[in-house]
Amino acid sequence: MSLMMITYLRDFLCRVSEVKDILTQRGTKFKFADSKSKSSYSEEDLITSVKKLSKLGSGFRTIKVGRVILIVSVPEELDDDHMQILNLAEDDGYGPYGMVTIEDMSRALGWDNERSNRAFELLLGKGMVWLDVHRGEKKYWFPR
């Protein structure tokens, strides 16, 4: 399975560490031109690969969210609002890891409902976040 296929299957966001784990589990072996090892690769090797893909205009890039580096495969640019949402989802202090509500954003970021909804429209439209509505409460989940 190629890096592009893995990222596509993971709804456009995937941790670099997860890609490395998938490739390792599958026994995928290859050598990067500048890698020190002939049969294994580091997360840094994968980040370098994504950077090379991004030069082709493929929409692939890496972003740092909290302590995690994610591969993003959406040709859409994420603005500061989207990055703040991703950082909030990474922060366990506001609920389950990977989940954000409009109320969380209001408390943590001081945003009104309109700004929060506008930021989520792009993320929902690109499949980067899942919406769960239970008893009228909206919860936005980011895939791990």
Side-chain angles (χ1 to χ4, degrees), residues 30-88:
F30 51 87
K31 181 180 183 317
F32 289 95
D34 52 359
S35 180
K36 293 177 176 81
S37 174
K38 292 183 179 177
S39 62
S40 65
Y41 36 87
S42 67
E43 289 183 19
E44 192 58 42
D45 291 329
L46 295 172
I47 293 167
T48 299
S49 295
V50 172
K51 286 179 184 173
K52 289 178 180 182
L53 274 174
S54 71
K55 291 178 182 175
L56 299 174
S58 62
F60 281 89
R61 65 190 176 285
T62 58
I63 58 173
K64 185 168 175 127
V65 178
R67 302 172 308 272
V68 176
I69 298 177
L70 298 173
I71 296 171
V72 181
S73 66
V74 183
E76 205 70 45
E77 278 299 315
L78 300 178
D79 66 20
D80 193 49
D81 282 0
H82 301 117
M83 295 304 297
Q84 287 185 55
I85 292 171
L86 289 169
N87 278 308
L88 189 60

